[in-house]
RNA sequence: GGCGCGUUGGCGGAGCAGUUACGCAGCGGUCUGCAAAACCGCGUAGACGGGUGCAACUCCCGUACGUGCCUCCA
């Protein structure tokens, strides 16, 4: 049974899908005006694990992610660079997908670009205008009137923010009926991207993109909406307000999940502070993207993560150690023995229960730190065992479960070594039996050059991938 | 100012009212043809002050510090 923390109730709840066997998940994607940074990596890795865990529970999951490809930042940036906005957004959408792929965030069923759903957006704005929820400000745009939706604030608990709050800014747009009213559709200025609409040519506001896209695929109600905490207000609050006003059906979303922020050197990541890292540049420093992924899984998704290279190194080393354990599956001589016979052998290392324990930890509101501990404990039992006592099938199955749920690609990144290398290892074993240390060491050096480290344990020689 | 979160050993990071979390790094030792690994041990974790309990890192209250949102933001 999957349990998830729900921002709406601030409680961990048992998960039940709206329709048996299927789950609809929407996660807010990025605005594609620049390379993605480590904060994006955190959110999307953790949401990817959520998707994997839902599927591991047997659900048929549709994971929808929007791409904001029209907004002020894109317009400004394309003007700065003197490139067409469509070229800019296509470039950075491609870069985003590239980064996600390298992090192995491959669970998304559909990436939906806002500008591909203008019809749906116009339809929503039209319905809001006709329903008396929206009004026009001349030469500005169409705004949602929050006073028409009494439940505004039910997600963020921020319904009665007072105007005289010290930090509340006065919105630049004059003519708004409510100080908090938000824009649904902006009338374009000359030279800006523009789409025709019955209520005036222009471009979509931010919040309406997501509800138009989610309605297009899921209808007015669906199961889970994810994103980082900073989106709770006003973005997700606005989504609820829009869609529930349009459909009259509540709740828009049954479970809201939010990821904590990533900080760098304990400070908020900001270009001005000089502590801003893109995913790309960390990879270019030589870090395995899967080590970045493991780093993100070392803490709970709702916690914040403090990024330092020291901490990333820690994850990197842990991953390398795991891979060497995984490589043992190529070195067991299991084929000589029957699996069933083995599983009843007291000395064999029991691993079947580990996969189950792993799933249970993840079902507990995605407790990835606990999941990693379960893996560590199982792996240390393996490391201490004789090769013959390692149940090859069980180990392989465990690795597959880890990859399926955590997406660490352990199976794929731990290939068997070549037959030639195997021959050298056997040759070296003979040399050692004959106490021909010179030959033994020469062969070890030779293997080292091929990226294979051999170490001799009391139970025999074992090979590992060289660092 | 409003609302929220956090404070655990060198670093990261969980669970749990009473028993070694775990990982990464360090030091000492055992073992070993060498190398490595592994194992054992060590550095006596729980911001501070109260409270409840036989017992608190774990529950309650307060204080301090940090941090997030309130504006675009993953």
């Amino acid at each position: 049974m999957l349990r998830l923390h729900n921002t709406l109730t601030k409680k961990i709840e048992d998960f039940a899908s709206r329709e048996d066997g299927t789950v609809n998940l929407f996660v807010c994607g990025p605005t594609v005006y620049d390379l993605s940074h480590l904060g994006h990596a955190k959110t999307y890795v953790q949401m990817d694990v959520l998707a994997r865990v839902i599927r591991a529970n047997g659900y048929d999951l549709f994971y929808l992610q929007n791409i904001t490809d029209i907004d002020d930042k894109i317009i400004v940036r394309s003007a700065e660079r003197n490139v067409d906005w469509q070229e800019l957004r296509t470039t950075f959408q491609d870069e985003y997908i590239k980064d996600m792929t390298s992090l192995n965030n491959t669970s998304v069923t559909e990436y939906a670009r806002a500008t591909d759903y203008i019809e749906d957006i116009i339809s929503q704005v039209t319905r809001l205008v006709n329903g008396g929820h929206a009004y026009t400000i001349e030469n500005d745009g169409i705004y949602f009137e929050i006073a028409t939706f009494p439940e505004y604030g039910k997600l963020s608990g921020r319904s009665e923010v007072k105007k005289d709050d010290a930090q509340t800014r006065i919105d630049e747009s004059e003519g708004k009926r409510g100080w908090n009213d938000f824009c649904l559709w902006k009338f374009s200025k000359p030279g800006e991207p523009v789409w025709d609409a019955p209520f005036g040519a222009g471009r979509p506001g931010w919040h309406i993109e997501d509800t138009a896209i989610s309605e297009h695929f899921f209808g007015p109600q669906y199961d889970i909406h994810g994103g980082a905490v900073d989106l709770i207000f006003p973005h997700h609050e606005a989504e609820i307000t829009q869609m529930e006003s349009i459909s009259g059906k509540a709740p828009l979303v049954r479970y809201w999940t939010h990821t904590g922020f990533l900080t760098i050197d304990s400070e908020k990541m900001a270009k001005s502070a000089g502590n801003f890292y893109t995913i790309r540049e960390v990879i270019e420093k030589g870090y395995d993207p899967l080590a970045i992924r493991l780093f993100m899984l070392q803490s709970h998704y709702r916690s914040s993560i403090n990024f330092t290279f020291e901490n990333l190194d820690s994850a990197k080393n842990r991953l390398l150690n795991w891979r060497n354990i995984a490589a043992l599956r190529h070195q067991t001589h299991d084929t000589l023995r029957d699996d069933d016979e083995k599983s009843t052998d007291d000395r064999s290392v029991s691993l079947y229960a580990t996969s189950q324990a792993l799933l249970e930890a993840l079902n507990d509101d995605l407790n990835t730190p606990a999941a990693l501990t379960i893996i560590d404990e199982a792996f240390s039992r393996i490391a201490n065992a004789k090769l013959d006592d390692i149940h090859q099938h069980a180990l392989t199955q465990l690795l597959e479960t880890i990859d399926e749920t955590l997406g660490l690609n352990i199976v794929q990144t731990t290939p068997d070594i070549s037959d030639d290398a195997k021959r050298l290892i056997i040759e070296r074993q003979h040399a050692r039996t004959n106490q021909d240390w010179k030959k033994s060491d020469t062969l070890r050096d030779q293997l080292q050059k091929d990226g294979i480290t051999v170490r001799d344990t009391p139970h025999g020689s074992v090979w590992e991938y060289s660092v």
Side-chain angles (χ1 to χ4, degrees):
Chain A
M1 165 69 84
L2 174 62
R3 292 163 55 76
L4 281 179
H5 181 268
N6 187 357
T7 308
L8 211 48
T9 58
K10 295 186 170 65
K11 285 181 186 147
I12 294 176
E13 301 177 5
D14 289 346
F15 176 78
S17 64
R18 289 173 46 80
E19 281 180 42
D20 277 353
T22 67
V23 173
N24 287 152
L25 166 68
F26 183 95
V27 172
C28 288
T31 302
V32 284
Y33 70 103
D34 206 340
L35 287 174
S36 301
H37 56 244
L38 291 174
H40 295 108
K42 176 186 189 293
T43 292
Y44 299 121
V45 164
Q46 289 169 335
M47 286 294 117
D48 187 69
V49 170
L50 171 62
R52 288 167 183 272
V53 170
I54 290 168
R55 289 188 175 127
N57 276 278
Y59 290 106
D60 181 11
L61 170 73
F62 195 114
Y63 177 3
L64 177 61
Q65 192 175 116
N66 72 299
I67 300 284
T68 299
D69 68 335
I70 179 64
D71 107 324
D72 290 347
K73 277 184 182 153
I74 291 171
I75 294 168
V76 168
R77 181 61 57 88
S78 59
E80 282 170 6
R81 298 201 177 178
N82 201 27
V83 297
D84 187 78
W85 70 272
Q86 294 179 76
E87 188 186 326
L88 185 92
R89 63 96 200 255
T90 301
T91 299
F92 287 113
Q93 182 183 346
D94 290 347
E95 297 298 336
Y96 171 69
I97 301 294
K98 213 181 280 177
D99 284 337
M100 292 303 109
T101 304
S102 63
L103 292 169
N104 203 28
N105 288 163
T106 54
S107 298
V108 173
T109 311
E110 179 88 26
Y111 285 106
R113 282 201 317 207
T115 56
D116 292 332
Y117 297 89
I118 296 291
E119 271 183 41
D120 297 280
I121 291 167
I122 289 172
S123 161
Q124 289 209 334
V125 176
T126 302
R127 281 177 283 164
L128 286 170
V129 170
N130 293 343
H133 290 288
Y135 58 93
T136 301
I137 300 177
E138 292 301 324
N139 300 318
D140 185 340
I142 312 284
Y143 279 77
F144 187 96
E145 186 172 4
I146 286 175
T148 68
F149 188 73
E151 290 184 81
Y152 184 82
K154 63 184 174 183
L155 180 68
S156 60
R158 207 179 293 252
S159 48
E160 288 301 324
V161 185
K162 295 190 176 79
K163 275 186 192 172
D164 49 285
D165 282 349
Q167 301 302 320
T168 300
R169 290 192 185 179
I170 297 159
D171 198 293
E172 31 346 307
S173 180
E174 293 176 15
K176 292 204 302 189
R177 294 180 187 170
W179 74 276
N180 221 0
D181 290 355
F182 56 87
C183 187
L184 297 167
W185 185 261
K186 284 183 181 172
F187 299 139
S188 298
K189 295 174 186 129
E192 287 184 350
V194 62
W195 287 266
D196 280 330
F199 36 77
R203 58 191 170 91
W206 178 33
H207 312 305
I208 199 78
E209 297 174 8
D210 290 20
T211 48
I213 289 167
S214 67
E215 186 189 22
H216 181 95
F217 286 93
F218 299 154
Q221 294 182 289
Y222 57 98
D223 299 295
I224 309 175
H225 188 131
V229 281
D230 57 322
L231 297 181
I232 294 173
F233 188 90
H235 186 51
H236 292 163
E237 198 66 64
E239 285 193 46
I240 291 173
T241 302
Q242 290 166 348
M243 196 65 233
E244 293 185 5
S245 293
I246 290 171
S247 70
K249 290 178 182 167
L252 162 65
V253 170
R254 184 82 177 277
Y255 305 91
W256 289 86
T257 64
H258 290 100
T259 59
F261 248 63
L262 178 128
T263 58
I264 293 186
D265 296 328
S266 300
E267 287 175 21
K268 186 177 178 177
M269 184 164 55
K271 283 183 177 173
S272 56
N275 61 358
F276 187 95
Y277 291 109
T278 62
I279 296 166
R280 195 61 55 83
E281 71 183 299
V282 175
I283 293 171
E284 281 169 1
K285 279 178 191 284
Y287 284 94
D288 186 331
L290 294 169
I292 300 173
R293 184 179 179 93
L294 181 58
F295 170 79
M296 300 302 174
L297 300 179
Q298 284 184 323
S299 59
H300 188 87
Y301 76 95
R302 285 190 282 121
S303 306
S304 59
I305 291 184
N306 185 38
F307 178 86
T308 63
F309 282 101
E310 187 189 358
N311 296 160
L312 181 57
D313 283 334
S314 170
K316 181 187 80 178
N317 290 337
R318 191 184 213 174
L319 184 60
L320 291 173
N321 290 338
W322 282 10
R323 285 177 179 167
N324 283 326
I325 296 293
L328 292 176
R329 75 185 184 282
H330 301 303
Q331 302 175 60
T332 61
H333 309 296
D334 211 56
T335 45
L336 300 174
R337 295 172 67 177
D338 181 70
D339 273 358
D340 292 335
E341 175 196 333
K342 196 145 195 195
S343 60
T344 58
D345 182 342
D346 284 349
R347 292 182 315 172
S348 74
V349 180
S350 166
L351 293 172
Y352 287 120
T354 304
S355 296
Q356 191 55 36
L358 182 64
L359 283 173
E360 279 170 21
L362 292 171
N363 274 344
D364 180 18
D365 194 31
L366 297 187
N367 193 341
T368 53
L372 302 193
T373 294
I374 288 163
I375 294 168
D376 281 323
E377 286 172 349
F379 280 11
S380 65
R381 274 183 282 134
I382 293 169
N384 296 333
K386 286 189 192 175
L387 285 179
D388 276 352
D389 291 337
I390 297 169
H391 197 149
Q392 186 183 57
H393 181 260
L395 173 56
T396 302
Q397 191 202 51
L398 173 59
L399 297 175
E400 284 167 354
T401 303
I402 293 169
D403 283 347
E404 180 193 343
T405 53
L406 300 178
L408 290 167
N409 263 178
I410 290 179
V411 170
Q412 193 189 319
T413 53
T414 56
D416 204 354
I417 55 176
S418 68
D419 289 344
D420 282 347
K422 284 179 183 168
R423 267 193 290 277
L424 292 181
I425 289 171
I426 291 166
E427 215 176 303
R428 179 169 174 279
Q429 278 166 349
H430 290 318
R432 290 189 73 232
T433 309
N434 299 328
Q435 303 203 343
D436 184 349
W437 309 127
K438 230 176 207 173
K439 187 178 180 188
S440 161
D441 290 350
T442 305
L443 288 167
R444 184 165 59 197
D445 290 346
Q446 202 174 329
L447 285 157
Q448 187 69 47
K449 278 177 195 152
D450 293 335
I452 297 161
T453 300
V454 181
R455 59 184 180 84
D456 302 317
T457 73
H459 317 308
S461 298
V462 165
W463 59 261
E464 298 182 339
Y465 307 101
S466 304
V467 178

